[in-house]
Amino acid sequence: MGSKQLVYAFEEGDGKDKKLLGGKGANLCEMTQMGLPVPPGYVITTEACLSYLDEKKEGLQPELMKQIKNEMADLEKKTGKGFGKAEKPLLVSVRSGAAMSMPGMMDTILNLGLNDETAAGLIRQTKNERFVYDLYRRLVQLLGSIALGLDNEDYDSIFNGIKTKYKAQQDVDLNAEGLKETCEKFLDFTEKKTGKPFPQDPYDQLELAVEAVFKSWGGKRAVDYRREFKITKEMANGTAVNICTMVFGNMGDDSATGVAFTRNPGTGENRLFGEYMVNAQGEDVVAGIRTPLPITELRQEMPVIYDELEELRLTLENHYNEVQDFEFTIENGKLHCLQTRNGKMNASALIKTSIDMVNEGLISEKEALLRIQPDMLDQLLHPRLDPDADVEVLAQGLPASPGAASGKMVFDADRAQSRANLGEKVILVREETKPDDIHGFFAAQGILTSRGGKTSHAAVVARGMGKPCVSGCEAIVIDDTAKEAVISGVTLKEGDVITIDGTTGNVYKGSVPTIEPEFVEDLLVLLEWADNIGDLKVMANADTPDTVSQAKKYGAMGIGLCRTERMFNDADRLPIVQEMILAEERKEREEALERLLPYQREDFKEIFKIMDGCPVTIRLLDPPIHEFLPSAEELLHEIEHLTELRKTVDGMAELPDTLKILDPEIHKRFAANLEAINQGFEEFKDKHLDKTLIESKEVMLKKVRMLSETNPMLGHRGVRLGITYPEIYAMQIRAVLEAAAEHIEDGGKIVPEIMVPQVCTLEELKWVHRYVVEIQKDVEKKFKINVPYEFGTMVEVVRACMRAGRLAELAEFISFGTNDLTQATFSFSREDAENKFLPLYNEAGILQDNPFEVLDLKGVGRLMRITIRWARKTRPDMKIGICGEQGGHPEAIRFCHHIKMSYVSCSPPRVPIARLAAAHAKLKEAEFSLN
Ligand code: PEP
Ligand code: MG
């Protein structure tokens, strides 16, 4: 049996096999086989990478090296050049490429095959010394920093020194002599640092480069990226390595290099979008070394090539049915395509292109929905800068990734991370960003660079993350050692707040006010498609008419949870609530409740009006009532303070007499003043230090102490309150039913759903149900109409899960309160876990996620499945939903779809995400498995 094939020429690799060839490699194979102008090359498989990493030995395995050498021999034949040969030297690039695109995550080394001898040969061949030394210095720096572990900044500072010496502003201004000197210095520096000459054998160079790419798969930034974007082994395991014949964009003024998107990745506009740089190599564009030109200018500069690019754009899109992000090089007037991949876009571009591509017949509605990860919609639901804000623009750069963000300036990624860990909002400000800055991107609200274009590293990564970015803001002069920047004459230091607007490219000093986002028409269309597909209904958790309106705007199909206690907190209601709580007698309490009733009824009526005809689930009072009173410490402090003040004022009143006895002379001098002051104090005492005020605080303190519990969340709350203080629930039930009656009288449609919290036994439900039946009769009599309602329960304690079959005898619907159910299942306090031990649990891998954020499918989820099974045995068509925080997360939604729940309910801004996630859950139901 022959050995395993570890290397595939672009002509033979299977373009569909991204797992084996990586995304870049597979696409290079596919494009070659489509006849597109890809320079010859081959791919080293991800399996070769994994096997190298498994062995943990330096040096490539002999079998792999053998196959590489065979491929190099083929490349030599295809190109008519020789690897390491001075006559017509063959130069190659080495680039990584895993199954999933990870921009900027892995390394690229260009110009391999150059050494002192081949460089001399290439000079003879091209008669272009400048060009060859430019290639050589790049190779030495790239191989030195990536494969030999030397510091990039050291090379940069040598290079900058030479640029200064030759008075070159930019690298293109440096002449052959300067570049030759750079090569010499780079070679010396490399030798000095590594103790060995820079590798002259091209196969040594190749081996080092391939190993470096393999190793970078396990490097910090790649690991961080995979963790952040939850890239599992099933999605991408190991990186492939692409070896490709070099073509040169730095051969002179008829050469160029560029990056383009088949559509605009910021807006979705259906037009070639990109940038290019004349006389440059690809890395210059991506790294933002110089600010490139917009691709529209190429139309004037090289019209024929521009037409070819237009043709390439159409061919790529028609083939991949997806927006492509491709790299190209023009070498002496000939176009080459070096890579293509699916374009990373922000949410608004994704939405626009989805709608457009459906209209153009490129993709189906279902495909259009599946292109957009639900969480990405989050980007559209954030505030944008208030256009009416009276602010002055400090500087303007390129609008590289839309959205606005304010934060404290930081000048390096580590500082961004450490300040963000302290809870600060930061903007990462850099001359240009590099892949090592990735942790700074995660930490920052937005990114501002002084160099680089819309396809620079900063722009691409920020767009992928949906974070605002302004790039190429050349008005900023950054001094990162002094941690300061001068922008249009204003010096700003680390910690100073700025605002960036990635939609316009504007930069502002300070924090600029923002306004709520508007829904774009395209999103409405897309979400309508989603609603037609998803089985799950999407409701909102909203408690006041304002938030209910917002929920409606976001497309909520009803209200899944209205927490009635939130209505008690308004300034004009809280004193009545406190009165109700402090009441000693039931009658007194009823009187206070009587005054609260109209407030609740009006709120419910308003909500029914906004949600006319849709389900509205109202939860009866849940939290322990002491939450409406100040804490014992607060009260104690106030009482002490007031008593002290009172004593001081009383002491002041006695002062004149005492003074008269002890020092009549002083008394005489100040008597009039003292009298006036004391008069003022007496008034103050009567007004603010009244005894009854202090006494009322003491009564409140007594009540607070009486109500105090060691474990309030497991104590006197929810239905337990409703049973011990029936008048509270009675008032709420009456408010709901009277509001419904009035709404129906006004011609509206509503069947309010009354939901009881914290239930663990059927007897509790029966108890509350009796009030409902009684009050309903009363309301129907009063209004002389039928007032329908549904009666149901939250399931948020473990016993309720176990007794779901019995609860379903009375409950017409169930809503899982997974906040409490998670607390109950883990026995983790909701209040304490997240800032005490959960971060460590997550970091140490004891728990993968925070279960209060991400539904714990294996534990809580299993309880939910049991509950549903038992509940539907009793009531087969029972309506079942979720209203805990996790209910708005796509993964939870997938699970809820899988276990055949009826709806999910989440906060209003998550409603659009949940609508799309519900459609995804349906479209991808066959792929779901619980393991
Ligand atoms: C829950 O417990 O999941 C719930 C929605 O109720 P609350 O968060 O108000 O306790
Ligand atoms: Mg709860």
mmCIF file of all heavy atoms in Angstrom, residues 541 561 563 565-566 619 622 713 717 758 794 796 816-821 830 883-885, ligand 1:
data_model
loop_
_atom_site.group_PDB
_atom_site.id
_atom_site.type_symbol
_atom_site.label_atom_id
_atom_site.label_comp_id
_atom_site.label_asym_id
_atom_site.label_seq_id
_atom_site.Cartn_x
_atom_site.Cartn_y
_atom_site.Cartn_z
ATOM 1 N N ASN A 541 -40.371 39.612 26.953
ATOM 2 C CA ASN A 541 -40.522 39.913 28.373
ATOM 3 C C ASN A 541 -40.584 41.434 28.474
ATOM 4 O O ASN A 541 -39.596 42.112 28.187
ATOM 5 C CB ASN A 541 -39.300 39.435 29.177
ATOM 6 C CG ASN A 541 -39.153 37.923 29.146
ATOM 7 O OD1 ASN A 541 -40.029 37.210 28.673
ATOM 8 N ND2 ASN A 541 -38.047 37.424 29.675
ATOM 9 N N LEU A 561 -43.952 37.371 29.230
ATOM 10 C CA LEU A 561 -43.784 37.585 30.669
ATOM 11 C C LEU A 561 -43.903 39.072 30.971
ATOM 12 O O LEU A 561 -43.086 39.876 30.509
ATOM 13 C CB LEU A 561 -42.399 37.094 31.138
ATOM 14 C CG LEU A 561 -42.036 37.409 32.595
ATOM 15 C CD1 LEU A 561 -42.969 36.672 33.559
ATOM 16 C CD2 LEU A 561 -40.585 37.027 32.902
ATOM 17 N N ARG A 563 -43.751 41.169 34.221
ATOM 18 C CA ARG A 563 -43.466 41.069 35.659
ATOM 19 C C ARG A 563 -44.183 42.231 36.350
ATOM 20 O O ARG A 563 -43.700 43.364 36.294
ATOM 21 C CB ARG A 563 -41.963 41.161 35.913
ATOM 22 C CG ARG A 563 -41.148 39.967 35.413
ATOM 23 C CD ARG A 563 -39.673 40.280 35.610
ATOM 24 N NE ARG A 563 -38.804 39.125 35.557
ATOM 25 C CZ ARG A 563 -38.002 38.838 34.531
ATOM 26 N NH1 ARG A 563 -37.993 39.607 33.461
ATOM 27 N NH2 ARG A 563 -37.206 37.793 34.584
ATOM 28 N N GLU A 565 -44.462 43.289 39.278
ATOM 29 C CA GLU A 565 -43.818 44.059 40.360
ATOM 30 C C GLU A 565 -43.092 45.286 39.820
ATOM 31 O O GLU A 565 -42.920 46.279 40.506
ATOM 32 C CB GLU A 565 -42.843 43.188 41.162
ATOM 33 C CG GLU A 565 -41.705 42.568 40.380
ATOM 34 C CD GLU A 565 -42.073 41.199 39.819
ATOM 35 O OE1 GLU A 565 -43.280 40.889 39.797
ATOM 36 O OE2 GLU A 565 -41.161 40.467 39.409
ATOM 37 N N ARG A 566 -42.673 45.202 38.524
ATOM 38 C CA ARG A 566 -41.941 46.339 37.963
ATOM 39 C C ARG A 566 -42.839 47.572 37.881
ATOM 40 O O ARG A 566 -42.364 48.684 37.777
ATOM 41 C CB ARG A 566 -41.415 45.981 36.574
ATOM 42 C CG ARG A 566 -40.538 44.753 36.566
ATOM 43 C CD ARG A 566 -39.087 45.114 36.360
ATOM 44 N NE ARG A 566 -38.215 43.975 36.625
ATOM 45 C CZ ARG A 566 -37.587 43.277 35.699
ATOM 46 N NH1 ARG A 566 -37.728 43.597 34.441
ATOM 47 N NH2 ARG A 566 -36.812 42.280 36.031
ATOM 48 N N ARG A 619 -47.715 37.893 35.007
ATOM 49 C CA ARG A 619 -47.316 37.101 36.171
ATOM 50 C C ARG A 619 -47.695 37.845 37.443
ATOM 51 O O ARG A 619 -47.377 39.033 37.589
ATOM 52 C CB ARG A 619 -45.814 36.855 36.139
ATOM 53 C CG ARG A 619 -45.367 35.996 37.296
ATOM 54 C CD ARG A 619 -43.896 35.744 37.234
ATOM 55 N NE ARG A 619 -43.138 36.917 37.663
ATOM 56 C CZ ARG A 619 -41.816 36.957 37.674
ATOM 57 N NH1 ARG A 619 -41.112 35.932 37.250
ATOM 58 N NH2 ARG A 619 -41.185 38.028 38.084
ATOM 59 N N ASP A 622 -44.144 38.409 42.378
ATOM 60 C CA ASP A 622 -43.176 37.344 42.649
ATOM 61 C C ASP A 622 -42.161 37.654 43.750
ATOM 62 O O ASP A 622 -41.935 36.836 44.629
ATOM 63 C CB ASP A 622 -42.453 36.995 41.333
ATOM 64 C CG ASP A 622 -41.450 35.864 41.513
ATOM 65 O OD1 ASP A 622 -41.702 34.975 42.356
ATOM 66 O OD2 ASP A 622 -40.421 35.855 40.828
ATOM 67 N N MET A 713 -34.613 34.476 48.407
ATOM 68 C CA MET A 713 -35.005 33.916 47.106
ATOM 69 C C MET A 713 -35.688 32.553 47.249
ATOM 70 O O MET A 713 -36.355 32.071 46.341
ATOM 71 C CB MET A 713 -33.794 33.793 46.181
ATOM 72 C CG MET A 713 -33.230 35.128 45.753
ATOM 73 S SD MET A 713 -34.473 36.217 45.022
ATOM 74 C CE MET A 713 -34.360 35.735 43.311
ATOM 75 N N ARG A 717 -41.952 34.384 48.944
ATOM 76 C CA ARG A 717 -42.108 35.050 47.651
ATOM 77 C C ARG A 717 -43.070 34.250 46.780
ATOM 78 O O ARG A 717 -43.494 33.161 47.149
ATOM 79 C CB ARG A 717 -40.748 35.209 46.954
ATOM 80 C CG ARG A 717 -40.088 33.896 46.605
ATOM 81 C CD ARG A 717 -38.785 34.076 45.835
ATOM 82 N NE ARG A 717 -38.999 34.513 44.461
ATOM 83 C CZ ARG A 717 -38.180 34.208 43.437
ATOM 84 N NH1 ARG A 717 -37.081 33.494 43.662
ATOM 85 N NH2 ARG A 717 -38.425 34.625 42.232
ATOM 86 N N GLN A 758 -43.467 30.561 41.055
ATOM 87 C CA GLN A 758 -42.878 29.776 42.163
ATOM 88 C C GLN A 758 -43.742 28.611 42.652
ATOM 89 O O GLN A 758 -43.600 28.158 43.783
ATOM 90 C CB GLN A 758 -42.563 30.701 43.363
ATOM 91 C CG GLN A 758 -41.544 31.772 43.088
ATOM 92 C CD GLN A 758 -40.147 31.200 42.878
ATOM 93 O OE1 GLN A 758 -39.775 30.195 43.493
ATOM 94 N NE2 GLN A 758 -39.375 31.814 42.013
ATOM 95 N N MET A 794 -45.802 29.276 36.159
ATOM 96 C CA MET A 794 -44.371 29.238 35.874
ATOM 97 C C MET A 794 -43.890 27.869 36.343
ATOM 98 O O MET A 794 -44.411 27.334 37.323
ATOM 99 C CB MET A 794 -43.594 30.258 36.721
ATOM 100 C CG MET A 794 -43.914 31.701 36.527
ATOM 101 S SD MET A 794 -42.990 32.444 35.202
ATOM 102 C CE MET A 794 -41.324 32.518 35.797
ATOM 103 N N GLU A 796 -40.466 26.780 37.694
ATOM 104 C CA GLU A 796 -39.128 27.299 38.032
ATOM 105 C C GLU A 796 -38.576 26.665 39.298
ATOM 106 O O GLU A 796 -37.528 27.082 39.798
ATOM 107 C CB GLU A 796 -39.152 28.828 38.126
ATOM 108 C CG GLU A 796 -40.270 29.378 38.988
ATOM 109 C CD GLU A 796 -40.414 30.895 38.901
ATOM 110 O OE1 GLU A 796 -39.494 31.571 38.441
ATOM 111 O OE2 GLU A 796 -41.474 31.391 39.335
ATOM 112 N N PHE A 816 -41.421 28.125 31.444
ATOM 113 C CA PHE A 816 -40.236 27.762 32.230
ATOM 114 C C PHE A 816 -39.495 29.031 32.647
ATOM 115 O O PHE A 816 -39.049 29.807 31.789
ATOM 116 C CB PHE A 816 -39.286 26.898 31.412
ATOM 117 C CG PHE A 816 -39.754 25.483 31.242
ATOM 118 C CD1 PHE A 816 -40.302 25.054 30.035
ATOM 119 C CD2 PHE A 816 -39.660 24.575 32.288
ATOM 120 C CE1 PHE A 816 -40.740 23.754 29.880
ATOM 121 C CE2 PHE A 816 -40.096 23.263 32.138
ATOM 122 C CZ PHE A 816 -40.646 22.858 30.929
ATOM 123 N N GLY A 817 -39.381 29.226 33.935
ATOM 124 C CA GLY A 817 -38.570 30.338 34.441
ATOM 125 C C GLY A 817 -37.171 29.791 34.670
ATOM 126 O O GLY A 817 -36.824 29.344 35.760
ATOM 127 N N THR A 818 -36.390 29.818 33.610
ATOM 128 C CA THR A 818 -35.096 29.123 33.695
ATOM 129 C C THR A 818 -34.058 29.885 34.517
ATOM 130 O O THR A 818 -33.001 29.338 34.809
ATOM 131 C CB THR A 818 -34.547 28.831 32.282
ATOM 132 O OG1 THR A 818 -34.726 30.008 31.503
ATOM 133 C CG2 THR A 818 -35.262 27.670 31.661
ATOM 134 N N ASN A 819 -34.353 31.126 34.889
ATOM 135 C CA ASN A 819 -33.425 31.792 35.816
ATOM 136 C C ASN A 819 -33.497 31.077 37.153
ATOM 137 O O ASN A 819 -32.480 30.634 37.699
ATOM 138 C CB ASN A 819 -33.807 33.261 36.021
ATOM 139 C CG ASN A 819 -33.826 34.030 34.727
ATOM 140 O OD1 ASN A 819 -33.120 33.693 33.790
ATOM 141 N ND2 ASN A 819 -34.642 35.070 34.656
ATOM 142 N N ASP A 820 -34.712 30.959 37.676
ATOM 143 C CA ASP A 820 -34.856 30.273 38.956
ATOM 144 C C ASP A 820 -34.624 28.770 38.822
ATOM 145 O O ASP A 820 -34.057 28.150 39.715
ATOM 146 C CB ASP A 820 -36.250 30.531 39.541
ATOM 147 C CG ASP A 820 -36.275 31.841 40.310
ATOM 148 O OD1 ASP A 820 -35.374 32.044 41.146
ATOM 149 O OD2 ASP A 820 -37.164 32.677 40.058
ATOM 150 N N LEU A 821 -35.054 28.215 37.693
ATOM 151 C CA LEU A 821 -34.894 26.766 37.549
ATOM 152 C C LEU A 821 -33.404 26.389 37.490
ATOM 153 O O LEU A 821 -32.996 25.341 38.003
ATOM 154 C CB LEU A 821 -35.630 26.270 36.294
ATOM 155 C CG LEU A 821 -35.766 24.755 36.167
ATOM 156 C CD1 LEU A 821 -36.440 24.141 37.380
ATOM 157 C CD2 LEU A 821 -36.538 24.377 34.905
ATOM 158 N N ARG A 830 -28.423 32.746 42.264
ATOM 159 C CA ARG A 830 -28.423 33.650 41.107
ATOM 160 C C ARG A 830 -27.671 34.930 41.416
ATOM 161 O O ARG A 830 -27.063 35.530 40.541
ATOM 162 C CB ARG A 830 -29.858 34.083 40.798
ATOM 163 C CG ARG A 830 -30.614 33.230 39.928
ATOM 164 C CD ARG A 830 -32.084 33.608 39.986
ATOM 165 N NE ARG A 830 -32.410 34.794 39.217
ATOM 166 C CZ ARG A 830 -33.657 35.172 38.965
ATOM 167 N NH1 ARG A 830 -34.671 34.460 39.412
ATOM 168 N NH2 ARG A 830 -33.900 36.262 38.274
ATOM 169 N N CYS A 883 -39.276 31.721 29.643
ATOM 170 C CA CYS A 883 -39.168 33.178 29.796
ATOM 171 C C CYS A 883 -37.936 33.585 30.604
ATOM 172 O O CYS A 883 -37.777 34.751 30.937
ATOM 173 C CB CYS A 883 -40.437 33.759 30.405
ATOM 174 S SG CYS A 883 -40.784 33.149 32.051
ATOM 175 N N GLY A 884 -37.061 32.628 30.912
ATOM 176 C CA GLY A 884 -35.797 32.982 31.580
ATOM 177 C C GLY A 884 -34.877 33.672 30.583
ATOM 178 O O GLY A 884 -35.125 33.637 29.362
ATOM 179 N N GLU A 885 -33.820 34.302 31.099
ATOM 180 C CA GLU A 885 -32.892 35.068 30.251
ATOM 181 C C GLU A 885 -32.341 34.265 29.083
ATOM 182 O O GLU A 885 -32.045 34.797 28.023
ATOM 183 C CB GLU A 885 -31.693 35.545 31.088
ATOM 184 C CG GLU A 885 -31.979 36.711 31.985
ATOM 185 C CD GLU A 885 -32.709 37.827 31.272
ATOM 186 O OE1 GLU A 885 -32.162 38.353 30.300
ATOM 187 O OE2 GLU A 885 -33.841 38.141 31.672
HETATM 188 C C1 PEP B 1 -37.169 33.033 35.878
HETATM 189 O O1 PEP B 1 -37.001 32.641 37.017
HETATM 190 O O2 PEP B 1 -36.633 32.517 34.887
HETATM 191 C C2 PEP B 1 -38.031 34.202 35.626
HETATM 192 C C3 PEP B 1 -38.320 34.570 34.392
HETATM 193 O O3 PEP B 1 -38.439 34.923 36.687
HETATM 194 P P1 PEP B 1 -37.557 35.978 37.491
HETATM 195 O O4 PEP B 1 -36.293 36.166 36.760
HETATM 196 O O5 PEP B 1 -38.387 37.193 37.557
HETATM 197 O O6 PEP B 1 -37.412 35.289 38.796
#
